[in-house]
Amino acid sequence: MGSELLLFYAFAALAVGAALLVIGQRNPMHSVLLLIASFAGLAGLYVLLDAPFAAVIQIIIYAGAILVLFLFVVMLLNAGRKEAPEGLARPTTPHGPRQAGAALAFVLALELVWALWRFGQPPVPAGVDRQPAAIVSSVRVIGRTLFTDYAFAFEVTSVLILVAMVGAVVLAKRKVS
Amino acid sequence: MSLVLIAQLGLVVFVFTALLLAAAAMVYAERKVAAAFQQRLGPYLVGPRGLLQPFADVAKLLLKEELRPRGADAFVFMLAPVISATAAFAAFAVVPFGAETTLFGLLDEPIMLQVADVNVAILVVFAIASMSVYGIVLAGWSSNSKYSLLGALRSASQMISYELSYGLALASVLVLAGSLSLREIVDQQAGSWFHVVPRWFVFLQPLGFLIYMIAGVAETNRAPFDFPEAEQELVAGYHTEYSSMAFAMFFLAEYINMVTVSAVATDLFLGGWHGPLLPESLGWIWFLLKVAVLLFVYIWLRWTLPRYRYDQLMRFGWKVLLPLAALNLVVTAAGMVYFGL
């Protein structure tokens, strides 16, 4: 077994194992930490895919910025350990969230089936010229593609984030007054 | 094993040891310089001129009792200083500190004086800097102490705020150099203009350099931005509850981070190992000198400036430093387009 394959399994195990443990924690703080570990595993996989830029961006944006916000929210809400009430084996969840969760799980399962069905077909449709990974992952190429071919999606995403920010400010203001 | 491989493994060990010794040297320098600023002698009893004082400090810390507050999250409490120290060491791995060398003809093919030559080195430094926030935040949270938590919250918001300016200052240099590799950026600064002024980026990016250094001081939580551990308000901030070796690891991380910030500044703005008089193979002497000067500035700032107020720090970061950094980036990019570089 090559060292690259060995590394792939190590990183994959870290990413999947940590992701599974995230939902198994009683303490939300530990969940956030495990999510960081999972993202680190993903970054390792990107490095193995010859995409160091994607790996570093994964760390800077997800592990470095977004999860720090998660951590803040968990800390400030002081969401402590979810203890089971007296006499109950485990905490019960209301029906509404349960049904919503079931529906989401069903959608996810469908998506997974679809992805597996596509497996084996060429990932890139015919007509699109394929480039080596090293070229595609270069910063120059990513920047150019982002601001030409995907400019619309890029701008829409930024507007979406702006809307979320304005929404958060409005909600926070209302609470004060 | 080939000689080159052994040399490269040796380089890893060397950088690790050098960082430890640099931290020890910084502790000593800090105390001596502080003493000079205050017309005292500083440490002078342990070893000649007190040179062994840092080692005595380490021995003392090692022998102290390890304490953990009741109600602390044991695992996270132990993990936090490890994250801090690991991040501090890891960041230096991508920093080049000298030209290619054959170790005085010992090796057949030259090796680089850099642990890992990554082509996105600047971003790696930035990514690891953003990870070091976790060490502090987790330390504050897991200590189960109000002073620790307040210190950690302050530190996190301070680091996030100044990280933006830090990143924009880095981006200006990236635009100028057109490369993300620290080695290539250093190599572009070789030579001089009109045989007088060295071709360092600091002369093209004076504002960028200033912003980088200010944000760097804030990132490393040093005076006058040392709010996370403001004694008068927070006892000792995020490491209030830490003792013994766990405390030493935070201490170590802070000093190594200063060395890394200075080393990256040297590579980005001060021409790295390029300098007059010395041949290329001895360039690392220039590198060490430049880093030492920047580290002295760190100490100088600490013993000269009083601490700001916390709201002043935040206002300065968001309303002065960030707009200036953005302006610097836009002007740099516009200049590059205008001159067709």
Side-chain angles (χ1 to χ4, degrees), chain B residues 181-202:
Chain B
S181 157
L182 278 170
R183 180 163 291 276
E184 278 174 33
I185 291 173
V186 171
D187 280 336
Q188 289 188 14
Q189 301 176 65
S192 56
W193 288 296
F194 318 115
H195 300 286
V196 183
V197 185
R199 207 181 278 271
W200 296 349
F201 282 161
V202 66

Side-chain angles (χ1 to χ4, degrees), chain A residues 29-30 36 56 63 67 75 139, chain B residues 73 123 134 138 141 160 180:
Chain A
M29 203 72 172
H30 293 170
I36 298 170
V56 174
L67 281 181
M75 260 162 53
V139 183
Chain B
D73 189 315
L123 293 177
Y134 285 113
L138 293 176
W141 175 79
I160 292 171
L180 286 169

Side-chain angles (χ1 to χ4, degrees), chain B residues 288-306:
Chain B
L288 284 182
L289 273 177
K290 291 170 187 173
V291 172
V293 169
L294 289 181
L295 286 173
F296 176 75
V297 171
Y298 255 111
I299 303 176
W300 190 5
L301 283 176
R302 172 168 174 187
W303 297 104
T304 309
L305 298 175

